[in-house]
Amino acid sequence: MSKHEFQTEVSDLLNLMIHSLYSNKEIFLRELVSNASDALDKLNYLCLTNDEYKKLTYTSKIDIKIDKSAKTLIISDDGIGMDKDELISNLGTIARSGTKGFLSQLSGDVKKDSNLIGQFGVGFYSAFMVADKIEVLSKKALSDEANIWSSDATSFSIKKGKKDSHGTQITLFLKDDEFLNEYTIENIIKKYSNHIPYPIFMDKEEFIPAKKDSDGKEIEPSKTELKTTQINKASALWRMQKSALKPEDYNEFYKQISHDSTDPLLYIHTKAEGKIEYSTLFYIPSVEPFDMFRVDYQSGVKLYVKRVFITDDEKELLPTYLRFVKGIIDVEDLPLNVSREILQDNAIIRSVKEASVKKILIELEKLKETDREKYIKFYTLFGKVLKEGLYGFSAQKDEILNLALFKSSKRDGLISLKEYKEAMKEDQKEIYYIIGKNANALKHSPILESLNKKDIEVLICDEEIDSIVMPMVYEFDKTPIKPASQAEFKDEKEAVDSEKFKELTAKIKEALNGEVKEVRVTNRLSDSASCLVYDKDDPDFATQQILKQMGQANLPEIKPILEINPEHEIIKKLENNKIMINDISNLLLNIAKIQEGIAIDNPNEFAKILTSVITKAI
Ligand code: ADP
Ligand code: MG
């Protein structure tokens, strides 16, 4: 026998399991059953793909035994099993990223942390919530050696054991009697594990009525008898007819596959029976997965071929902008030994993927039209991920634009581009947006002054992702989409006479000594004297910030254009009297910067100039 210490993280986790008042202890069974089901998946897959395993005979099933006198609950499977090294590493350390994510979110607040356990379902170790001692007897398929792992949650030991067939048998020495009850166990199984693809058997007491002869005379009294009974449906839910399923069935199944204990926001079930036969069941969660913005996020979509689990580690099954989607793709006409290369190049997989993306986007569109409140909930959670799909030349750009919602310069809440278009002025030919960090500042940006005066709506884009994707969006439903800074009012009588201000603009540019690319007059402003815009082909300030954050530190310096308002008192006076041109130019530039939320290069100089100008004015 050898004795081992748990990895520190495991000890922390176990402490938490044991000492926190956790209200949802029953999930331990879901976790153990799902491990058993995984172990059967793995062995079945090997048997189908690897000749060495083909000689094995076994039944893909899970058994549960309750021993009331010994106060034990035993869960066993005929799956792949574990050898000694695997027992040590799988049940002594934490490798799974989900569990790591769980640990990184621990707050120390017992109540909050307990909730987290429910959300993540932290696997095997959750059994210590109900057991003070656990024994795992396991024999790896094709091996002759069995081992027993046992632990009281402080440390664990390994010794040789005896087991006839391959697989794993887990004995829980229960803390109290709650889970020694067949009825309780059956209910928990039905709740969480009804649709795992393998049958779960348990010995159940069955009532046998008294036997009577033809005269009605009792020849044998009634009794109860232990009978091995299948207690789950064991049918792959995604293969069932939609009409046979209730929303509760879908919701429960979601909890099984997602490690999320809240009901999903939406489910999308498709059974295709045309040229390619497949079933898909997709879910949109109602809470944000913890790893959504991590590079090593877990794919939420599992691939099955003919009901046999293949992988849940393939991030390409759906595009990254749909990485919040959880669920199952089950394809009929694929070989079971699909390799990664096949996954990427296979025409069947490709068309299932394409159809799935389309379907998900269509269903979201439906939701947007029929249940706005729910859609807003969805969009608030996942809109910023979805918008990533606007990047580059994605095939679904139009559909995603259709799904996008924006804040508006005129209305409260969120609006779609369709709603924007419906409210467009008759002579308005373009859709305008403005990008920045702070929605309120954007609404009051001088760049919008003329548009606001003319009552033209502008989309307020205040999310980081906007600065990356909005410049890549050119039109919606045949209407051009443009930054508000590029709105032109050519057809107006008051079109500005740049010639007339040529001398002044040149002087200001000279005074600003290379800080701006150009100085020009504009009719965009009404109250402000100046504003900053960027050249049509230059990234704007918000985009530049993002590019820098993304590591493009050597981005060439991109200078703004200073626009001045010829109708403004300052500009009118300056035109006639250029004595203070250096100071005023500095103020025009820096005030415009402040309004755009851009830091001033030399605040001391600005303060000095401002003070001197105020002094003169007084
Ligand atoms: P997860 O299932 O997410 O990997 P768990 O804590 O539930 O995390 O299990 C840890 C690991 O222990 C599993 O990944 C698996 O390798 C191994 N394991 C647990 N139960 C079994 C079992 N019944 N048969 C074979 N391996 C198992
Ligand atoms: Mg598990």
Side-chain angles (χ1 to χ4, degrees), residues 113-130:
D113 292 348
S114 302
N115 271 333
L116 273 180
I117 298 180
Q119 251 189 52
F120 283 89
V122 276
F124 173 80
Y125 304 109
S126 62
F128 279 109
M129 291 191 296
V130 299

Side-chain angles (χ1 to χ4, degrees), residues 493-560:
K493 287 202 195 70
E494 68 228 47
V496 284
D497 186 354
S498 328
E499 264 317 294
K500 192 176 148 204
F501 292 92
K502 217 169 139 185
E503 198 194 333
L504 178 65
T505 50
K507 279 244 157 66
I508 297 177
K509 186 173 178 199
E510 195 188 317
L512 291 175
N513 199 13
E515 278 201 67
V516 294
K517 191 171 186 173
E518 190 188 334
V519 178
R520 66 188 179 206
V521 281
T522 184
N523 57 1
R524 155 184 353 269
L525 299 168
S526 60
D527 300 332
S528 302
S530 63
C531 69
L532 282 180
V533 295
Y534 283 85
D535 221 353
K536 237 173 133 178
D537 303 317
D538 285 342
D540 63 19
F541 184 68
T543 311
Q544 290 175 43
Q545 295 304 100
I546 296 285
L547 291 174
K548 274 186 198 149
Q549 263 178 38
M550 287 179 359
Q552 298 199 19
N554 49 0
L555 201 70
E557 196 200 348
I558 295 158
K559 291 178 184 169

Side-chain angles (χ1 to χ4, degrees), residues 344-480:
Q344 268 143 26
D345 286 341
N346 183 275
I348 293 178
I349 287 278
R350 208 177 315 124
S351 63
V352 173
K353 268 162 47 174
E354 269 166 30
S356 299
V357 172
K358 241 186 216 153
K359 178 74 183 170
I360 293 169
L361 296 178
I362 287 175
E363 289 300 315
L364 286 174
E365 173 67 19
K366 265 192 212 154
L367 183 70
K368 175 169 140 258
E369 297 303 317
T370 55
D371 189 343
R372 185 60 170 234
E373 201 182 312
K374 207 167 174 184
Y375 187 77
I376 299 263
K377 197 169 173 213
F378 155 76
Y379 197 81
T380 314
L381 280 167
F382 303 120
K384 43 189 181 303
V385 179
L386 188 71
K387 273 194 275 186
E388 291 175 15
L390 295 172
Y391 188 83
F393 299 95
S394 118
Q396 278 75 36
K397 223 164 169 163
D398 289 347
E399 286 88 339
I400 297 171
L401 268 184
N402 223 354
L403 291 171
L405 296 181
F406 298 88
K407 291 184 184 137
S408 148
S409 61
K410 276 170 64 177
R411 298 183 243 182
D412 288 336
L414 296 170
I415 61 162
S416 67
L417 287 174
K418 200 169 131 210
E419 285 154 354
Y420 179 101
K421 272 191 78 168
E422 281 161 7
M424 250 162 70
K425 304 269 150 211
E426 226 168 87
D427 53 350
Q428 187 186 340
K429 302 275 185 304
E430 297 166 335
I431 297 170
Y432 300 114
Y433 65 85
I434 183 165
I435 304 180
K437 275 210 167 107
N438 177 314
N440 199 35
L442 288 174
K443 278 185 193 179
H444 297 102
S445 164
I447 291 176
L448 304 194
E449 277 174 9
S450 276
L451 291 163
N452 285 342
K453 269 244 159 82
K454 293 186 199 338
D455 202 27
I456 290 176
E457 189 166 30
V458 177
L459 303 170
I460 305 292
C461 300
D462 62 344
E463 279 176 318
E464 264 189 17
I465 181 74
D466 292 326
S467 5
I468 298 171
V469 299
M470 287 309 285
M472 299 189 148
V473 167
Y474 305 107
E475 61 164 33
F476 170 74
D477 188 20
K478 301 201 180 72
T479 307

